[in-house]
Amino acid sequence: MSILEELYYGNIRPTDKQQSEEVRRALADTVNAEVSLMEILSDDRQKEKLSEISERYSKLITLTERDSFIEGVRLGAELMADLTSHTI
C-alpha cells in the first residue's frame, strides 16, 4: 500500500507517536507538582480553579500539537512541490 492508502485506512496515526523519556519525565513532574499543590489548597473553590486551569492547559497543548502537525505537513508538501519543480 502507498503511504496515502495507509493513512486513509487508519494504519498511520501520527497522534499515537511514542513519547520520549524527556517528555514522560516532564509529564510526571507536572502531575506530581499539581498533586502537591492540590494537597496544599484548603478551599474547594481553589481546588476547582486549579482543576479548571489544568484542563484548559491540556486543551491548549492538544490544539498546539495539532496546529504544529498541520504546519509540518504543509511545509513538507511545499518542500516536495518545490523539489519536483526543479531539475537536478
Side-chain angles (χ1 to χ4, degrees):
M1 271 192 227
S2 72
I3 192 163
L4 289 175
E5 289 172 321
E6 293 283 347
L7 187 61
Y8 175 80
Y9 288 111
N11 298 330
I12 298 174
R13 296 175 46 159
T15 56
D16 289 347
K17 65 185 182 293
Q18 194 162 10
Q19 294 177 333
S20 69
E21 182 61 31
E22 182 180 22
V23 169
R24 284 194 298 272
R25 277 194 309 266
L27 178 59
D29 289 346
T30 301
V31 169
N32 290 335
E34 184 178 348
V35 168
S36 294
L37 181 55
M38 195 65 84
E39 290 171 354
I40 293 171
L41 298 175
S42 58
D43 186 298
D44 284 342
R45 281 185 32 217
Q46 293 171 336
K47 291 179 182 183
E48 287 174 19
K49 186 53 85 174
L50 176 59
S51 291
E52 178 188 343
I53 291 169
S54 180
E55 288 173 21
R56 287 178 184 225
Y57 186 71
S58 180
K59 182 176 181 179
L60 174 63
I61 293 298
T62 300
L63 294 172
T64 301
E65 285 180 344
R66 181 202 62 196
D67 288 354
S68 294
F69 174 78
I70 291 169
E71 192 57 36
V73 170
R74 280 189 183 133
L75 178 59
E78 288 176 20
L79 287 169
M80 294 304 294
D82 190 50
L83 284 172
T84 59
S85 68
H86 292 82
T87 56
I88 298 176

